[in-house]
Amino acid sequence: MKNAFTINATTSEAGLNKFRVKKLSDDLEHVMDRSDETVENIKRASSIPRWLNLAAAILGMAGMAIVIGFLRALTEVSFSTAYNNAGWLLYVGGPCVLVALAIFIYKTYRNRTTVNSPAARDAFAEQERLNARCFEDLGVPQTADDIDVFCEVFKEKNGKAKKVWSIYQYINISLKIYRDGENLYLADTDGVYAFPISSFFEIMTVRKSALFSGWNKDEPFNKPPYKQYKVRRNNYGVLFVKPHYYIKFIAFNEEYVLVIPSYELETLQKYLTLNII
């Protein structure tokens, strides 16, 4: 059983390409690449290094644990006794909390001043316009729905595929979904991918949490309509959702799956009627 949606980090080849039936025109592809590069540079400039995020999380948790422990001790002894016995804890825990808070403020300030700048807003608006042009060029109907699909990344080593281990399992990619009488179609700004309706045979429930990167919806994951799915995020920015689903189908004499989060099951079922196990 293979995930149909993969990216080869060694060659940058997408697994979906073997299902591609339409490709974006070369001219529009070049324009889109330049726009994507501009937006990516803006996002990179707005973020802080991962190690700094990690340091903030560790310092914040350690500092709070120390301070809370000291405050709990006050329920059993006087402040002067607690201070004389372990006053140094305040001098360790307090600065830890303050440093973590300072990193958080810096992160928020950097994000807002970069992403909300006039140049950034223009770049994001231009990318939205280009996305619409791409889907029009590919013949994607305006009635197509958006659906998040989980993508796995691997690299080649000694001629074999090796999964790129990270702090998450999947990258969350937003695609367009639609169908006709014969095929289910997924589309991104690179192309359209076709899957015969007859090749799908069941939906498998995976009851473990899926760890993924990227939230694509306009509404926050912890607000309606997505709050009911209990998507969580940890201090490292990794998102969790439970359950998730394998949409099983046969292609090239092998069993493949499309992997979707629980909040996309209803969207998928508008296009496919399958038993859920």
Side-chain angles (χ1 to χ4, degrees):
M1 186 167 58
K2 297 180 179 179
N3 188 347
F5 197 3
T6 59
I7 294 177
N8 186 331
T10 306
T11 64
S12 298
E13 182 75 10
L16 279 182
N17 285 350
K18 66 180 67 176
F19 304 98
R20 187 163 60 188
V21 294
K22 290 183 182 178
K23 184 180 182 300
L24 189 66
S25 64
D26 290 340
D27 289 343
L28 194 50
E29 183 177 7
H30 293 323
V31 174
M32 194 67 192
D33 285 344
R34 289 196 297 270
S35 175
D36 287 343
E37 183 178 359
T38 299
V39 169
E40 187 61 32
N41 288 338
I42 291 171
K43 290 180 178 179
R44 191 179 297 113
S46 70
S47 62
I48 63 174
R50 181 176 292 181
W51 68 266
L52 201 54
N53 270 319
L54 181 62
I58 294 174
L59 288 172
M61 288 186 292
M64 289 300 297
I66 291 172
V67 172
I68 291 173
F70 184 87
L71 294 177
R72 283 180 176 173
L74 295 181
T75 62
E76 300 178 2
V77 298
S78 66
F79 178 84
S80 59
T81 300
Y83 185 81
N84 289 332
N85 291 338
W88 62 271
L89 290 175
L90 289 180
Y91 294 102
V92 174
C96 285
V97 173
L98 291 176
V99 171
L101 181 61
I103 294 173
F104 174 77
I105 293 172
Y106 170 67
K107 176 182 177 180
T108 303
Y109 170 79
R110 184 166 175 171
N111 181 270
R112 288 181 177 177
T113 54
T114 304
V115 174
N116 292 329
S117 68
R121 289 197 295 268
D122 289 344
F124 293 142
E126 176 63 14
Q127 188 179 56
E128 287 295 320
R129 288 192 292 269
L130 286 173
N131 284 343
R133 281 184 59 193
C134 289
F135 289 128
E136 182 179 359
D137 182 77
L138 292 167
V140 177
Q142 293 184 356
T143 54
D145 285 306
D146 294 316
I147 186 169
D148 285 353
V149 181
F150 285 159
C151 172
E152 291 183 75
V153 181
F154 70 93
K155 61 182 178 181
E156 294 179 0
K157 188 174 183 179
N158 299 325
K160 296 182 179 180
K162 184 177 180 181
K163 189 170 181 179
V164 177
W165 294 106
S166 184
I167 55 176
Y168 48 81
Q169 297 168 273
Y170 303 107
I171 298 174
N172 190 20
I173 306 295
S174 179
L175 302 173
K176 295 289 186 182
I177 183 171
Y178 60 102
R179 63 166 288 174
D180 58 20
E182 297 182 356
N183 295 310
L184 177 78
Y185 297 98
L186 295 175
D188 57 20
T189 55
D190 291 325
V192 176
Y193 315 93
F195 308 86
I197 300 295
S198 59
S199 67
F200 291 92
F201 61 94
E202 73 181 12
I203 299 175
M204 175 181 169
T205 305
V206 183
R207 304 196 182 280
K208 295 182 179 179
S209 292
L211 286 68
F212 65 99
S213 171
W215 182 253
N216 302 315
K217 305 301 185 182
D218 293 332
E219 301 83 1
F221 64 86
N222 55 358
K223 301 291 183 182
Y226 300 105
K227 185 177 181 179
Q228 62 179 308
Y229 299 101
K230 299 179 180 179
V231 179
R232 298 174 292 113
R233 181 169 59 196
N234 65 18
N235 291 328
Y236 311 115
V238 179
L239 293 157
F240 300 75
V241 66
K242 178 182 177 181
H244 57 293
Y245 296 95
Y246 289 169
I247 317 306
K248 294 186 176 183
F249 66 99
I250 301 296
F252 313 109
N253 297 317
E254 293 186 277
E255 184 175 309
Y256 283 85
V257 296
L258 294 170
V259 185
I260 63 169
S262 55
Y263 58 84
E264 294 292 19
L265 181 62
E266 184 176 344
T267 298
L268 181 93
Q269 288 179 315
K270 292 170 60 177
Y271 299 94
L272 291 175
T273 303
L274 298 170
N275 290 329
I276 302 176
I277 63 170

